[in-house]
Amino acid sequence: MKSPASTRTPVSVRAERADTDLQDDVPPRGGQAAPRSLRMWRPLRIPAHQDTSARVRGVYPFLAEGNLPTAGVYVGRDLYSGGAFVYDPWVLYAAGVITAPNLVIAGIVGAGKSALIKSLYTRSIPFGRKVYVPGDPKGEHSAIAEAVGGKAIILGHGLRTRLNPLDSGPRPAGISEPEWEAMVGARRLDLVGALAETMLTRPLTPIEHTVIDRALNQVVAQAETPILPMIVDRILEPGPEQDARLADDGRMVGHALRRLVSGDLQGIFDGPSTVTFDPALPMLSLDLSRVANSDALVSVLMTCASAWMEAALLDPAGGHRWVIYDEAWRLMSQPALLRRMDAQWRLARHFGIANALLFHKLSDLDTVGDAGSAMRAVAASLLANTETQIIYRQGADQVGPTTLALGLTRTERQLLPTLGVGQGLWRIKGHARVIEHHLHPEEMRAFNTSNRMTGP
Ligand SMILES: Nc1ncnc2c1ncn2[C@@H]1O[C@H](COP(=O)(O)OP(=O)(O)OP(=O)(O)O)[C@@H](O)[C@H]1O
Ligand SMILES: [Mg+2]
């Protein structure tokens, strides 16, 4: 330490005085004079410091709550303040707290992620919000959809339900007939292209785009509502009037799509739709539990479901809608779906939707693309740029990667392994809370996913 003479800062002056006082007033222990030092055994008195909660929460994040709007659906109890906690992404957006209404929920298996999102969306339906689950690999949202007056679309082998990806869907209000025709044409082209890409597991070449476009135009000229087998036939046998080379150029696309209508994946897309997508219902869920073991089918079905939803979202009177991606790690591993998700993340504000992404751990992202690939970067930015992050309990090995990916503070990091079922760290654009989600007994019954484990 430098000599007191050379560093006569206010601190050292006070320390010297304290030492002098100590010698004058109280005999040191053992009767010996204490050496002049900066040590002092008197209770340290620091004047109380007052500041705004906005500043203090930088130091004590959970004790000094920032002001969040008090409107929204009830979630549960703030574990530090004991106060009630409410959440509504649209209210937070309107109050200027967040600039995009999307949220992510991460946590170990059985932490209560799905129960939380089910509470959030069912509790917000009475306030006029609608819910869309474009892919539910476990089928756990189907019963809830029926219970709230919505519909679950269940598709799978051996069922009589059919889904025609070329359906035009309901025309949104405020769009003229010619505009709608052009939009339906573009959507069909986009959708058949996306289905072919998924089956080929590679992007289409420009020639293959042309092949699909030609086939679609011919089929639409013949049938008002085309179905996929017609397109496949046209691609594989373009007819004498077509350039002979087109048949060769389209062989790969034709055979890839053929798998959906007469190959191992037949029985879902090969006829007119028996189910309708009614955007007026309070909740719609696409149940993928019957096809969950086929990544190709999950991907194809979700691509169709997203395309329908995008059409419904164009309706300016469509209102606010939750879009739930439960078990998102499965869905994110499909490049075509990840690209769609990313687009919807960006358009959330524009369409009035709040996307919710549920997954287990940050290392689930390792299943997305190759290390350093563009897909991996898209997935990482999807999480990092989401302004509402709800982190449930994490395994000890996941605390490091989660901290790194989401930029958690030390206090937040230490909290993660200690959280119980239904307890989570909520980070809402700089506000951090530890919230215990409360379930009503009826909700507990309806949302229970442990029946198979705890039942007889
Ligand atoms: N807030 C809560 N209070 C009490 N029990 C809860 C709460 N949330 C969830 N549970 C219980 O925990 C069980 C598992 O919850 P949930 O299905 O939501 O977990 P999860 O995190 O989605 O699991 P997975 O990763 O397997 O999908 C539920 O069946 C329910 O009984
Ligand atoms: Mg779940």
Side-chain angles (χ1 to χ4, degrees):
M1 199 178 146
K2 288 180 189 167
S3 77
S6 65
T7 55
R8 218 157 254 287
T9 60
V11 175
S12 62
V13 169
R14 286 180 59 182
E16 273 178 7
R17 283 203 192 127
D19 238 6
T20 316
D21 291 351
L22 188 137
Q23 282 182 344
D24 292 348
D25 305 348
V26 191
R29 249 180 242 156
Q32 294 281 313
R36 280 186 161 245
S37 70
L38 289 175
R39 263 184 262 125
M40 142 174 144
W41 53 274
R42 278 183 170 177
L44 183 65
R45 285 197 193 90
I46 299 173
H49 177 76
Q50 276 193 330
D51 217 322
T52 63
S53 53
R55 282 166 182 266
V56 175
R57 73 167 196 265
V59 187
Y60 299 105
F62 308 124
L63 298 184
E65 295 170 5
N67 291 331
L68 286 175
T70 50
V73 299
Y74 176 72
V75 176
R77 191 168 58 103
D78 186 317
L79 282 181
Y80 283 90
S81 72
F85 177 76
V86 296
Y87 180 79
D88 184 300
W90 295 277
V91 170
L92 290 172
Y93 180 80
V97 178
I98 53 176
T99 56
N102 305 316
L103 64 93
V104 293
I105 308 178
I108 57 168
V109 170
K113 305 175 296 292
S114 302
L116 173 67
I117 201 68
K118 289 170 190 169
S119 277
L120 277 178
Y121 70 64
T122 46
R123 292 175 192 180
S124 61
I125 289 173
F127 299 100
R129 319 288 193 218
K130 290 180 188 147
V131 188
Y132 189 44
V133 188
D136 175 12
K138 288 189 192 161
E140 58 183 298
H141 297 269
S142 300
I144 304 172
E146 302 287 347
V148 298
K151 194 158 125 188
I153 299 173
I154 305 175
L155 293 153
H157 296 300
L159 298 178
R160 297 240 293 276
T161 17
R162 292 284 182 283
L163 178 85
N164 179 9
L166 302 172
D167 266 347
S168 53
R171 172 149 63 107
I175 293 183
S176 68
E177 187 66 42
E179 263 182 305
W180 180 236
E181 259 177 42
M183 283 163 68
V184 169
R187 199 173 69 236
R188 282 174 177 158
L189 185 58
D190 176 55
L191 192 53
V192 178
L195 297 184
E197 280 187 1
T198 307
M199 301 314 294
L200 289 167
T201 61
R202 65 160 171 83
L204 293 183
T205 63
I207 297 176
E208 287 169 338
H209 269 290
T210 307
V211 167
I212 294 177
D213 189 26
R214 291 263 178 102
L216 255 174
N217 284 337
Q218 288 171 2
V219 168
V220 170
Q222 289 165 3
E224 201 181 325
T225 306
I227 54 174
L228 205 51
M230 297 177 185
I231 306 283
V232 175
D233 287 347
R234 270 288 156 181
I235 292 176
L236 291 177
E237 288 163 36
E241 73 280 12
Q242 292 293 329
D243 181 348
R245 277 179 308 175
L246 267 188
D248 274 348
D249 295 333
R251 274 185 64 236
M252 293 297 269
V253 168
H255 285 286
L257 290 175
R258 188 181 165 279
R259 234 184 114 188
L260 292 174
V261 298
S262 52
D264 56 327
L265 307 179
Q266 70 175 11
I268 298 177
F269 304 102
D270 42 8
S273 288
T274 58
V275 288
T276 48
F277 176 94
D278 180 359
L281 291 175
M283 178 166 175
L284 274 167
S285 171
L286 185 67
D287 187 327
L288 302 179
S289 55
R290 306 281 187 110
V291 295
N293 50 7
S294 163
D295 279 347
L297 268 185
V298 167
S299 181
V300 168
L301 279 167
M302 281 202 60
T303 306
C304 297
S306 305
W308 283 349
M309 181 182 73
E310 281 155 25
L313 293 175
L314 292 175
D315 190 343
H320 294 152
R321 195 182 289 264
W322 278 106
V323 181
I324 313 295
Y325 296 95
D326 205 342
E327 303 283 318
W329 56 275
R330 277 203 67 160
L331 316 174
M332 289 170 87
S333 60
Q334 306 283 335
L337 288 180
L338 184 62
R339 270 200 301 273
R340 275 202 128 88
M341 244 184 216
D342 184 46
Q344 283 175 14
W345 231 250
R346 290 166 204 281
L347 291 170
R349 244 165 28 84
H350 180 66
F351 286 143
I353 56 177
N355 295 293
L357 201 66
L358 279 64
F359 62 103
H360 292 135
K361 49 191 192 296
L362 269 291
S363 54
D364 285 344
L365 291 186
D366 297 347
T367 59
V368 181
D370 297 324
S373 65
M375 282 293 116
R376 183 79 61 89
V378 169
S381 78
L382 215 65
L383 300 186
N385 299 333
T386 303
E387 289 169 330
T388 303
Q389 297 166 343
I390 305 164
I391 305 140
Y392 271 40
R393 190 186 176 119
Q394 293 285 320
D397 61 320
Q398 287 303 313
V399 173
T402 310
T403 303
L404 212 62
L406 303 180
L408 303 185
T409 65
R410 198 176 56 177
T411 319
E412 291 170 339
R413 189 181 67 200
Q414 286 167 348
L415 185 85
L416 295 186
T418 68
L419 296 167
V421 171
Q423 297 176 341
L425 164 67
W426 286 61
R427 301 171 90 223
I428 305 172
K429 189 79 179 267
H431 301 256
R433 303 279 181 88
V434 186
I435 305 297
E436 182 173 60
H437 165 221
H438 283 174
L439 279 173
H440 184 275
E442 289 298 327
E443 287 181 317
M444 185 73 108
R445 245 191 303 282
F447 302 166
N448 197 339
T449 53
S450 316
N451 293 342
R452 293 279 280 270
M453 293 299 287
T454 55

